[in-house]
Amino acid sequence: MRLKRGELIHVVGHTGGVVEYAEPSAVDPRRTGGVGTLFSAFQLVSLAGGRLAVRGGSRVVTTFADVAGNAISDVLGGFAFSPIGVIVVAHSAAADKHYAYALRATDMQFALPVGTETEAGSRAELGWATATIGRPVAVEYFEKLYVVDASRTSRRDLAVVNLNAGALQVTNPSHNIDTPGVGVGPIQAYTIAAYNGVLFIAGYDSESGGQEPAILRHSFLGRDPSDPAGFDRDAYALIGAKGVYITAMVPGNSILLVAKESELYRITGTPKAFEGWHFGISPLDNTLGLGCTNPHALAHAAGWFYGVGSAGPWRSDGYRVELLKRGRDAAWGQVQNSLELATVTWHPERRRVLFGFCAVPDEAPEIFWKWDVDREQWDATDAFLSQIHQTRAIESNVAADTQAPAGLAQSFSFADHRATALTGTFTPGSTLAKTEVWLRHASLGSVQVATLDEGLARFTIDAVALGLDLKFEACFVKLRHITGGVWSEFTGEVEFYPRLRPPVFKISHISGTPNIRRIAVTNYANNSLVQNLYGDEAAHASWLEDWLDAPAGDSTSDADPDTPVSGQTRRYELTIEQPAFVGHEESGLATLSTFFIPNSTLPNAPWQDMAQDLALDRIHLQFMPAGFSPASYEVQYRVTGSGGGYTTATTYAPPASPATLESQRITITGLAASQKYDVRIVQTNGGTFASADVVMFTKLEAPTVAVAQGGLSSPDVDITVTVPASGDGKDVRVYSASNVAGTPGYNQLFVAQTAGAHVYNSTAGTCDVRDQYFACMVDSTWPAEWTHSDVASDEIEDPCL
Amino acid sequence: MIPLYGFKRSSNTVIQLDDQSVVTDEGAPMSFPNFVTSFVDLGPAGGTARLRRVAQTVTLFGNATIRLVPRVNESEDFSQAETFSLSPVNGTQQVVELYPALTGTRFAIQIEVLLATGPLWFGECDIELVPKRSTVRA
């Protein structure tokens, strides 16, 4: 209701900012577009549309448990770390330790080990074993987080945090700066920043010079700064007056702004991989005596540097600086407490710079002034019940839009279907993202087993390298991309299964009549394998023994007790089956022959033991002695087709009693790779009686491969494959990883290649997308699992010039 | 909204700040949100006037209790303050009106949020002054 004679002052919104003691004529909404300014404001925030809103509340998102009974007493800071999300540094006064915790940026929960995250698995000691708290300042540089301590007394050593084999690792490296080769020491810098490809540390001279507040050093371009030689002794400069601290450093606006307590400097330039200092140094045009009180009192936001010094909050474009205290003088008088603990934090989405102050002399801020970077004015002040060492806006999903990989499938091509290795292909959702490969197996749980480089779409899980016995059980594989520390969704799990190998078995005679052969077949685990035992001799073709869901260990059967007939041979063949492995349900045959009645002068033929891996220099075989002592056996071999004499590999003297006669496992060593051998058993008692030759194989030796860009601006890759001498005359298969749903972009078989280097050319692939090439030797006359050698590979970052 | 995290002193916790999903600070009532407008007057040489009406628009998504306190010549006058209990049942857009009768040369409004169980916004505001008869207008 309007009043008679009343004069109306209409305020369209209280969003004109906080201006203390402003003269009405200066802030009258009738003169300032209707927007009202505020004398003071707390716990509010200006929104669009002239609304002044009550700020949101605060809530606990992460709680750290006691460590070995010692409570975490302070949470000192958090730093975005792209390989994981966030690294939080905390302190336990009871334990006299500082800890680094790896948290996910998405929800601030424990991040490691990925898939089975635990607090203990996400924690590592920082190497700061002190009862008092440190002041961590950190910067990420090439997938490592460098943490220094902004303490002026009892300063702690540089800590380097990184991921190593999926676990959080912290090191406190020693450096050799002053006199290379003589003495090392830990870096004890006051603050740290990354700028133009190198790391800057301030407040540290060298292992002999110790701490020096005004010295600024940069790392050697191209060297890992955590390496002892990561800093060159001459790459330093004295900034301003000696003895006066460099307090803060932040890159922005193409410079590194270096602050002292009442000075500001511009660092500009580009480093080179030479010794010495490579940057220009100049003070700002008008420093005004402004500076920063500590490393956390400086931030770069929306084209401006914002800082807090003893004279108040300020901003700078990197050339000039202006004080922002005007209009807040009264409030400034109330927050000039413990300014050495003041913080400046940028929140890009709220478009506010938060200046953290202590309401009273204390140990951490709880009052936060908010500077509105768009309206260029002070917004309402926030006051929290808690004291906060640091505040940080941490984005949770910068790359969440990355599509998950697609078309994940097991590969049965080439040499891919192995008993101890699983190979898969897929189509990347993004060629800019790395790909994590995860495996779930009954004896392993779900674990990450590999990370593929960007653009690659083929992987092999080597169970031997993982120390994992696949036990012929189905495995489940899933993938997800990771880019910028953020993961895509997982693909669905896809069933992979290893190749079924012929079973391990043994024949033994049992005393008595008839002469029963006992056959023991080893099952690998409590899986659902079906094991079949066949007797193939014509008169006993119907003899069959199956074990369904065979238990782990040996299953035994006493084979076909029938009338002994001298000179009759039995051959036993065994397979294992897994009906779930559609298309690959049955293993190859394991075979052993034996004379029905022991003590024949003729030996039984040997069998290559295919239950084991083929080897480059040896052959594993089994044979059943046909007689007992005084029979004597030799295992002999020669290169197939050589027509030469045999070499005796070893001898075997059987026991005197037939009751203890059993099949023997023999290994012939000292053989050549990629070779076929005729192997036979010779009985030498009372003459020389040889079994038939059996062709056995050593493993095909792999070639080497190196790829290089071929010179064209379109995909052009030269693939140099070196065929080993043992592979002379064999075929070479070359294929690439660039694939869509399992089809390699490049796939060629080169027949009958001579030993030595061969260069092949590929025009497959996509410019700017990494690719990988594989090469292996091929001989189709080798046993099924071993027709291809192991695969050699090499990557090319860009197939185009 | 990108979360804003705070790393607490004398604590084993990380907190999220300015989280619109909660209206308390870690379960405890937030220190009262409040603001004081800059002083207004009737212009250069405007002389004395009486503050007679304040109308403040409020948008609320939960129950709220707010208090309007008039300020004259840089001091509060709680004797003419008024507390309003608001509920969104009566509409999310509401106007609270205060009818003080205070004489002075400069006037401001102090608004305090005593309770807010949901988001609460302040929008437009009218401040109505009645010039004193003896005032000589510029």
Side-chain angles (χ1 to χ4, degrees):
Chain A
M1 182 186 74
R2 292 291 306 275
L3 300 174
K4 187 178 179 183
R5 295 180 57 247
E7 184 158 341
L8 185 70
I9 300 173
H10 181 63
V11 182
V12 299
H14 302 289
T15 54
V18 176
V19 186
E20 298 167 352
Y21 297 106
E23 284 301 310
S25 60
V27 294
D28 190 337
R30 291 167 296 187
R31 298 177 177 84
T32 56
V35 178
T37 58
L38 303 173
F39 176 84
S40 68
F42 292 91
Q43 321 288 47
L44 299 159
V45 60
S46 299
L47 304 180
R51 293 172 297 168
L52 187 65
V54 174
R55 72 160 170 85
S58 55
R59 63 187 176 88
V60 173
V61 292
T62 310
T63 301
F64 299 110
D66 295 357
V67 182
N70 298 308
I72 296 297
S73 48
D74 274 274
V75 184
L76 300 171
F79 308 93
F81 185 46
S82 55
I84 300 170
V86 184
I87 297 294
V88 171
V89 177
H91 177 245
S92 171
D96 295 353
K97 286 178 181 173
H98 290 72
Y99 298 100
Y101 289 88
L103 304 184
R104 294 188 296 248
T106 47
D107 56 6
M108 293 295 278
Q109 296 305 303
F110 300 107
L112 298 174
V114 177
T116 55
E117 296 84 356
T118 63
E119 181 165 356
S122 304
R123 182 180 60 229
E125 290 185 24
L126 203 58
W128 295 2
T130 60
T132 55
I133 60 170
R135 288 271 288 165
V137 183
V139 63
E140 181 179 344
Y141 182 79
F142 288 129
E143 300 193 349
K144 292 181 178 176
L145 190 75
Y146 292 79
V147 189
V148 300
D149 175 27
S151 297
R152 298 201 177 187
T153 57
S154 303
R155 192 176 304 157
R156 296 151 187 87
D157 299 344
L158 167 72
V160 181
V161 181
N162 66 305
L163 264 185
N164 185 0
L168 194 64
Q169 174 177 279
V170 178
T171 56
N172 300 100
S174 289
H175 283 75
N176 191 350
I177 296 174
D178 194 17
T179 307
V182 180
V184 295
I187 284 178
Q188 294 181 328
Y190 182 78
T191 187
I192 192 166
Y195 168 65
N196 272 6
V198 293
L199 206 59
F200 283 78
I201 56 172
Y204 179 74
D205 181 1
S206 64
E207 62 274 13
S208 57
Q211 300 170 19
E212 166 47 55
I215 278 192
L216 183 62
R217 280 195 173 277
H218 69 73
S219 64
F220 195 96
L221 181 67
R223 286 186 196 158
D224 185 344
S226 63
D227 185 87
F231 288 83
D232 169 52
R233 67 175 176 180
D234 296 324
Y236 75 95
L238 198 62
I239 307 295
K242 191 175 182 187
V244 179
Y245 270 90
I246 293 170
T247 51
M249 301 187 290
V250 165
N253 294 10
S254 302
I255 68 168
L256 178 70
L257 188 72
V258 173
K260 302 186 76 171
E261 292 182 353
S262 55
E263 302 163 64
L264 295 168
Y265 294 89
R266 298 159 46 84
I267 305 295
T268 56
T270 305
K272 300 170 184 62
F274 301 130
E275 293 75 9
W277 173 264
H278 298 153
F279 294 88
I281 307 166
S282 58
L284 264 57
D285 295 349
N286 66 331
T287 294
L288 297 178
L290 298 176
C292 288
T293 58
N294 73 86
H296 298 301
L298 181 62
H300 182 260
W304 292 86
F305 296 96
Y306 293 87
V308 171
S310 55
W314 52 264
R315 73 173 181 176
S316 169
D317 60 0
Y319 292 92
R320 300 180 62 79
V321 61
E322 60 181 301
L323 198 58
L324 297 178
K325 194 178 64 172
R326 191 169 63 179
R328 302 301 305 273
D329 296 88
W332 175 246
Q334 298 165 4
V335 297
Q336 288 187 75
N337 308 298
S338 306
L339 280 178
E340 71 278 9
L341 303 175
T343 61
V344 178
T345 306
W346 163 233
H347 195 289
E349 215 168 355
R350 291 177 172 84
R351 309 291 294 170
R352 302 289 190 278
V353 177
L354 277 67
F355 293 77
F357 300 116
C358 299
V360 295
D362 215 328
E363 295 184 10
E366 69 272 277
I367 300 287
F368 291 86
W369 290 14
K370 300 197 296 270
W371 175 262
D372 184 333
V373 299
D374 293 328
R375 297 182 177 96
E376 297 193 323
Q377 63 189 26
W378 288 107
D379 202 355
T381 296
D382 290 342
F384 292 100
L385 299 176
S386 300
Q387 293 182 320
I388 300 165
H389 284 295
Q390 289 183 33
T391 51
R392 193 83 60 188
I394 298 176
E395 295 190 50
S396 60
N397 54 354
V398 286
D401 290 338
T402 299
Q403 293 289 314
L408 171 61
Q410 184 173 7
S411 173
F412 298 99
S413 303
F414 320 131
D416 291 345
H417 193 208
R418 293 265 169 112
T420 56
L422 307 166
T423 297
T425 60
F426 60 96
T427 301
S430 166
T431 56
L432 302 177
K434 293 179 185 290
T435 306
E436 292 180 355
V437 181
W438 286 69
L439 172 68
R440 180 166 64 86
H441 182 266
S443 62
L444 192 65
S446 186
V447 297
Q448 183 188 343
V449 293
T451 300
L452 308 180
D453 285 335
E454 298 87 343
L456 302 186
R458 165 178 274 270
F459 61 90
T460 295
I461 301 170
D462 185 342
V464 176
L466 291 171
L468 173 66
D469 185 354
L470 294 177
K471 298 176 180 174
F472 301 148
E473 291 180 327
C475 303
F476 298 89
V477 178
K478 61 182 178 181
L479 309 175
R480 66 178 177 182
H481 286 315
I482 179 168
T483 179
V486 178
W487 289 280
S488 72
E489 295 295 320
F490 273 114
T491 63
E493 281 191 329
V494 173
E495 185 178 274
F496 279 42
Y497 42 85
R499 176 187 287 271
L500 295 175
R501 285 253 177 97
V504 174
F505 79 119
K506 182 175 70 178
I507 299 178
S508 55
H509 278 276
I510 301 172
S511 61
T513 302
N515 288 292
I516 299 171
R517 274 75 58 206
R518 172 160 293 168
I519 298 177
V521 183
T522 302
N523 191 22
Y524 288 89
N526 294 311
N527 55 27
S528 58
L529 292 175
V530 180
Q531 299 189 140
N532 306 291
L533 176 63
Y534 304 92
D536 83 324
E537 198 275 331
H540 307 285
S542 60
W543 184 84
L544 173 66
E545 182 78 48
D546 280 352
W547 290 277
L548 301 178
D549 296 330
D554 287 347
S555 299
T556 59
S557 174
D558 294 340
D560 61 347
D562 57 3
T563 305
V565 177
S566 179
Q568 204 172 53
T569 301
R570 292 282 191 272
R571 190 174 79 227
Y572 298 101
E573 299 178 335
L574 292 90
T575 61
I576 57 175
E577 292 179 10
Q578 174 50 277
F581 293 179
V582 178
H584 305 85
E585 298 94 337
E586 188 161 4
S587 74
L589 286 175
T591 307
L592 263 183
S593 297
T594 180
F595 281 101
F596 190 72
I597 303 173
N599 213 22
S600 167
T601 52
L602 285 175
N604 295 310
W607 171 74
Q608 185 166 8
D609 183 0
M610 301 304 288
Q612 300 185 57
D613 281 347
L614 250 60
L616 293 171
D617 64 348
R618 62 194 60 203
I619 288 173
H620 305 289
L621 61 89
Q622 283 184 267
F623 82 97
M624 180 66 188
F628 41 87
S629 182
S632 181
Y633 296 96
E634 292 182 357
V635 179
Q636 297 184 346
Y637 67 93
R638 66 179 180 184
V639 173
T640 300
S642 65
Y646 291 89
T647 301
T648 299
T650 187
T651 60
Y652 172 68
S657 166
T660 54
L661 213 55
E662 61 182 19
S663 55
Q664 298 296 305
R665 291 177 174 275
I666 303 288
T667 299
I668 305 174
T669 59
L671 304 178
S674 311
Q675 194 60 262
K676 293 179 183 176
Y677 289 92
D678 297 333
V679 181
R680 67 180 187 177
I681 306 297
V682 177
Q683 203 281 109
T684 56
N685 180 45
T688 300
F689 307 96
S691 74
D693 285 350
V694 176
V695 177
M696 300 189 186
F697 305 83
T698 55
K699 189 177 179 181
L700 294 175
E701 185 177 3
T704 60
V705 63
V707 295
Q709 213 285 324
L712 300 180
S713 57
S714 56
D716 179 17
V717 180
D718 289 335
I719 311 152
T720 303
V721 176
T722 303
V723 174
S726 66
D728 185 54
K730 295 191 184 300
D731 304 344
V732 174
R733 169 76 67 183
V734 183
Y735 53 98
S736 69
S738 57
N739 59 316
V740 176
T743 305
Y746 179 85
N747 176 20
Q748 295 290 331
L749 180 68
F750 301 98
V751 177
Q753 301 295 287
T754 56
H758 301 264
V759 179
Y760 312 115
N761 183 262
S762 166
T763 57
T766 305
C767 290
D768 299 322
V769 176
R770 183 185 294 267
D771 206 348
Q772 187 175 21
Y773 282 84
F774 304 89
C776 59
M777 304 306 301
V778 180
D779 189 328
S780 59
T781 63
W782 252 243
E785 187 181 351
W786 306 99
T787 54
H788 292 65
S789 71
D790 286 346
V791 175
S793 69
D794 193 21
E795 293 184 15
I796 184 164
E797 190 166 341
D798 185 351
C800 305
L801 186 64
Chain B
M1 181 71 81
I2 297 170
L4 178 65
Y5 296 110
F7 304 93
K8 284 183 62 178
R9 179 202 167 208
S10 299
S11 170
N12 62 339
T13 59
V14 178
I15 58 176
Q16 184 174 343
L17 306 171
D18 192 7
D19 181 353
Q20 290 292 336
S21 68
V22 292
V23 295
T24 62
D25 279 342
E26 301 171 60
M30 187 187 303
S31 172
F32 290 137
N34 66 85
F35 64 93
V36 179
T37 65
S38 292
F39 285 96
V40 295
D41 62 12
L42 288 177
T48 59
R50 284 170 69 82
L51 174 64
R52 291 304 312 277
R53 175 174 169 265
V54 176
Q56 172 66 54
T57 61
V58 179
T59 303
L60 65 159
F61 298 93
N63 293 333
T65 303
I66 63 175
R67 180 166 69 166
L68 269 60
V69 182
R71 291 175 73 117
V72 179
N73 294 350
E74 302 182 5
S75 60
E76 308 97 330
D77 189 331
F78 287 103
S79 67
Q80 297 197 30
E82 187 169 347
T83 300
F84 301 86
S85 294
L86 310 175
S87 168
V89 172
N90 301 319
T92 56
Q93 299 270 354
Q94 299 185 28
V95 177
V96 292
E97 288 189 290
L98 177 70
Y99 291 94
L102 294 170
T103 299
T105 57
R106 297 180 163 194
F107 305 92
I109 304 302
Q110 176 173 322
I111 297 180
E112 301 166 346
V113 179
L114 306 181
L115 172 73
T117 60
L120 179 64
W121 304 336
F122 298 96
E124 295 174 285
C125 175
D126 282 349
I127 299 172
E128 207 160 350
L129 305 176
V130 177
K132 296 284 282 184
R133 291 177 189 277
S134 60
T135 299
V136 177
R137 300 295 306 274

